[in-house]
């Protein structure tokens, strides 16, 4: 008996090609979008460079290329440089920093997250002059959330950074660290309207030469701050920005800071601002364990050996004349050679005891400590009644 079942229906052949065709169309559309975005990189970068140049920050790139198809945009800049104009003695003094390579990466689906890697070394020089400083690192990278001109969060991380001064063929170490991290974000406001900036600076194994003996030995630091007084993020020279902050009563609030150097541990919090002369004013409440380790580095013994300056005596012993004290040391040396020096050295023990008597007793991380204020008066830094440093004006 013949089979009377109906023949199977044939599916239209076009359905078999529909999905591949859609994939091809999507791939073509995505490719077009990627190449359009890649072409816009140069346009946006040039617009940003023109905006920055208005404030005296001139960025340049010897060779720029774009790669990363299909899901990333990788912008590579070889022979990068930035020329900065800083105020020096009332005139414009140009400086140029040069960097071998910068690689900026953005995911095509998240263009507001930019990740960059920097290739060492970098050199800094006065324009037209040989490099005066060199900066090296084993790995340097950054991340920016938001657009480059108006970032919401920024992070910079450098492993094994090293800064050297260059004079002729000789390089002199200025600063070293195992790791340095700087993080910042907008806590309140917006980039265009009085932003409040929170920052975190972390230094591991850092040391700085030619600034103060205290900074020459390795230290770890963790400093958290809030900066108010910024009007906006529009490009402008730093002296002008500092004047702007001072004019509206802006300040830096050190929310928390901790510095450790061997047995010395110091924590501090407080507020610092600027006066009309551009000098730092304010006070930090400090708690220090191992403060006796600081006395030699402050140079108090050396000050006593060389004679007590009148300005110091005016602060710690009003009415006592410097020539009276120094004359006494000289008379002791004439009577019994070497006696004046012994008295001065023993006097430093009294200074140590005096500093230890400042403030109040405290305990810091299980160690005996002292709590006292660190004052900034017109740029001068005072540890109790003793002046221990000066900070130059910021504008």
């Amino acid at each position: 008996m013949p089979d009377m079942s109906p023949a199977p229906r044939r599916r239209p052949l076009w359905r078999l090609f529909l999905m591949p065709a859609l994939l091809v169309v999507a791939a073509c559309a995505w490719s077009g979008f990627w190449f359009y975005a890649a072409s816009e990189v140069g346009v946006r970068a040039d617009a940003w460079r023109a905006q920055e140049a208005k404030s005296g920050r001139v960025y340049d790139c010897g060779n720029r290329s774009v790669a990363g198809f299909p899901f990333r945009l990788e912008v590579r800049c070889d022979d990068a440089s930035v020329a900065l104009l800083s105020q020096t003695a009332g005139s414009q003094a140009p400086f140029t920093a040069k960097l071998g390579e910068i690689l900026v990466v953005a995911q095509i689906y998240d263009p507001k997250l930019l990740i960059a890697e920097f290739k060492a070394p970098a050199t800094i020089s006065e324009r037209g002059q040989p490099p005066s400083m060199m900066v090296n690192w084993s790995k340097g990278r950054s991340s920016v959330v938001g657009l480059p001109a108006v970032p919401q969060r920024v992070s910079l991380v450098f492993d094994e950074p090293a800064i050297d001064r260059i004079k002729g063929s000789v390089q002199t170490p200025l600063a070293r660290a195992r790791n340095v991290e700087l993080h910042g974000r907008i806590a309140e406001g917006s980039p265009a309207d009085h932003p409040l900036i929170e920052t975190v600076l972390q230094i591991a194994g850092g040391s700085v030469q030619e600034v103060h003996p205290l900074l020459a030995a390795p230290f770890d630091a963790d400093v958290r701050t809030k900066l108010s007084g910024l009007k906006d993020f529009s490009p402008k020279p730093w002296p002008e920005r500092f004047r702007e902050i001072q004019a509206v009563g802006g300040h830096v609030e050190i929310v928390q800071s901790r510095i450790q150097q061997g047995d010395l541990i110091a924590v501090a919090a407080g507020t610092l601002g600027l006066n009309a002369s551009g000098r730092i004013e304010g006070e930090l409440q400090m708690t220090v364990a191992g403060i006796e380790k600081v006395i030699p580095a402050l140079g108090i013994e050396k000050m006593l050996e060389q004679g007590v300056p009148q300005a110091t005596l005016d602060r710690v012993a009003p009415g006592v004349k410097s020539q009276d004290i120094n004359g006494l040391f000289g008379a002791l040396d004439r009577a019994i050679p070497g006696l004046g020096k012994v008295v001065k050295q023993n006097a430093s023990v009294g200074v140590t005891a005096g500093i230890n008597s400042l403030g109040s007793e405290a305990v810091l991380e299980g160690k005996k400590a002292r709590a006292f204020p660190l004052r900034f008066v017109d740029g001068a830094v005072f540890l109790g009644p003793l002046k221990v440093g000066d900070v130059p004006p910021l504008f």
Side-chain angles (χ1 to χ4, degrees):
M1 185 174 181
D3 186 5
M4 302 298 292
S5 60
R9 297 178 60 183
R10 292 185 177 180
R11 295 181 178 180
L13 293 178
W14 64 269
R15 292 185 179 181
L16 299 176
F17 298 101
L18 178 61
M19 187 57 68
L22 290 176
L23 290 176
V24 170
V25 172
C28 291
W30 182 264
S31 299
F33 170 72
W34 187 92
F35 283 105
Y36 170 77
S39 68
E40 284 292 297
V41 167
V43 176
R44 300 292 178 88
D46 291 340
W48 177 74
R49 287 174 54 202
Q51 183 185 27
E52 288 287 288
K54 294 177 182 178
S55 65
R57 296 188 291 267
V58 181
Y59 295 86
D60 199 6
C61 184
N63 180 38
R64 185 172 61 202
S65 60
V66 182
F69 180 81
F71 299 114
R72 302 201 308 179
L73 284 172
E74 299 179 357
V75 182
R76 190 181 304 274
C77 176
D78 297 321
D79 298 326
S81 67
V82 55
L84 303 177
L85 299 179
S86 63
Q87 296 286 342
T88 303
S91 63
Q92 293 286 339
F95 289 84
T96 302
K98 293 185 177 181
L99 184 65
E101 178 185 284
I102 301 176
L103 174 63
V104 181
V105 178
Q107 303 295 339
I108 199 71
Y109 50 81
D110 189 10
K112 290 188 177 181
L113 173 60
L114 302 178
I115 299 174
E117 294 185 358
F118 311 102
K119 185 177 180 181
T123 59
I124 301 174
S125 61
E126 294 186 20
R127 190 174 297 175
Q129 300 295 323
S132 58
M133 297 182 69
M134 177 174 289
V135 185
N136 255 301
W137 57 87
S138 62
K139 187 175 183 180
R141 62 270 192 202
S142 73
S143 65
V144 178
V145 177
L147 299 177
V150 285
Q152 295 295 324
R153 293 198 307 271
V154 178
S155 295
L156 290 169
V157 180
F158 288 90
D159 294 335
E160 299 179 314
I163 304 176
D164 292 342
R165 187 188 304 278
I166 303 175
K167 188 173 183 180
S169 59
V170 179
Q171 291 186 204
T172 305
L174 286 184
R176 296 287 189 273
R178 290 196 311 272
N179 177 265
V180 174
E181 297 187 19
L182 177 62
H183 307 276
R185 74 178 187 94
I186 298 178
E188 297 177 13
S190 68
D193 184 21
H194 299 89
L196 175 66
I197 309 300
E198 287 186 348
T199 67
V200 177
L201 173 64
Q202 296 174 321
I203 302 174
S207 63
V208 182
Q209 310 296 324
E210 300 184 11
V211 176
H212 195 282
L214 275 176
L215 301 177
F219 62 88
D220 297 335
D222 187 337
V223 183
R224 302 167 188 269
T225 68
K226 289 183 179 180
L227 171 63
S228 65
L230 288 175
K231 182 180 179 181
D232 51 40
F233 278 177
S234 60
K236 61 190 68 174
W238 277 109
E240 180 181 338
R241 192 177 296 280
F242 286 132
R243 287 192 187 95
E244 179 182 275
I245 293 173
Q246 190 276 330
V248 298
H251 58 265
V252 175
E253 178 189 354
I254 299 179
V255 179
Q256 178 184 355
S257 68
R258 181 185 186 276
I259 299 176
Q260 181 168 3
Q261 187 181 64
D263 295 331
L264 172 69
I265 302 175
V267 298
T271 301
L272 301 177
L274 295 173
N275 61 21
S277 301
R279 296 182 180 274
I280 296 179
E281 298 268 1
E283 185 175 293
L284 302 180
Q285 292 298 320
M286 297 191 66
T287 302
V288 182
I291 191 173
E292 66 278 358
K293 307 290 184 181
V294 179
I295 303 305
L298 292 177
I300 295 175
E301 291 92 339
K302 184 176 181 180
M303 178 187 72
L304 290 167
E305 291 178 1
Q306 294 177 346
V308 183
Q310 185 61 53
T312 300
L313 284 173
D314 289 340
R315 289 193 302 271
V316 299
V320 178
K321 299 300 181 182
S322 175
Q323 58 266 28
D324 296 338
I325 298 293
N326 299 330
L328 174 61
F329 290 151
L332 291 173
D333 276 329
R334 287 192 296 272
I336 303 176
L339 180 57
K341 182 176 181 179
V342 171
V343 172
K344 294 174 188 177
Q345 291 173 342
N346 288 332
S348 70
V349 176
V351 174
T352 301
I355 289 181
N356 281 333
S357 67
L358 293 175
S360 58
E361 292 185 357
V363 176
L364 179 61
E365 299 181 12
K367 300 180 179 180
K368 291 183 178 180
R370 304 299 302 183
F372 52 85
L374 180 68
R375 297 181 298 116
F376 293 78
V377 182
D378 196 29
V381 187
F382 290 91
L383 186 65
L386 296 175
K387 181 179 177 181
V388 295
D390 277 295
V391 180
L394 299 182
F395 60 79

